[in-house]
């Protein structure tokens, strides 16, 4: 269909209403899956995440990409981190705020 408008639920809506869809970056997908797991309780407060390499393998992404997703969630305040003698330990510190629908 071409032109400036198209039917939408019995109404005519301007075709300029929506932006073209964009592919999701892998880092955003990984962060989104972790964020969803925290929000729906699969990763409750205090959960210690697997080591980076193991978690990256589960997502089938390079460890560097996984670490970037974890950085995003730490910046949002959803994850915390500390180090023990040998490793960084990443854990859930709070659930994301509910978004208005």
């Amino acid at each position: 269909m071409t032109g400036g408008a198209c039917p939408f639920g019995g109404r005519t809506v301007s075709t300029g209403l929506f932006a073209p869809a964009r592919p999701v970056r892998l880092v955003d997908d990984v962060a989104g899956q972790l964020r969803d797991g925290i929000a729906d309780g699969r990763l409750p407060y205090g959960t210690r995440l697997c080591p980076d390499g193991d978690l990256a393998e589960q997502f089938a992404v390079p460890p560097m990409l996984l670490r970037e997703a974890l950085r995003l969630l730490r910046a949002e305040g959803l994850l915390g981190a500390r180090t023990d003698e040998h490793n960084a330990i990443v854990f859930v510190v709070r659930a994301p705020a509910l978004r208005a629908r």
Side-chain angles (χ1 to χ4, degrees):
M1 176 180 253
T2 60
C6 64
F8 185 77
R11 300 185 321 260
T12 300
V13 177
S14 169
T15 55
L17 184 63
F18 302 105
R22 297 173 298 167
V24 177
R25 293 183 325 151
L26 286 175
V27 69
D28 294 330
D29 182 51
V30 171
Q33 288 189 55
L34 289 168
R35 191 180 294 109
D36 290 346
I38 294 167
D40 69 18
R42 288 178 288 141
L43 297 170
Y45 173 82
T47 298
R48 180 176 167 172
L49 301 182
C50 299
D52 290 0
D54 295 343
L55 202 52
E57 189 174 312
Q58 288 181 42
F59 282 108
V61 298
M64 187 165 49
L65 190 142
L66 174 80
R67 286 191 290 275
E68 178 61 24
L70 296 177
R71 274 192 288 275
L72 288 173
L73 297 177
R74 287 180 63 198
E76 292 176 20
L78 301 179
L79 297 178
R82 67 174 195 272
T83 55
D84 64 8
E85 296 172 4
H86 306 287
N87 300 306
I89 300 168
V90 178
F91 53 94
V92 176
V93 294
R94 74 172 176 86
L98 297 175
R99 294 182 183 139
R101 293 184 184 237

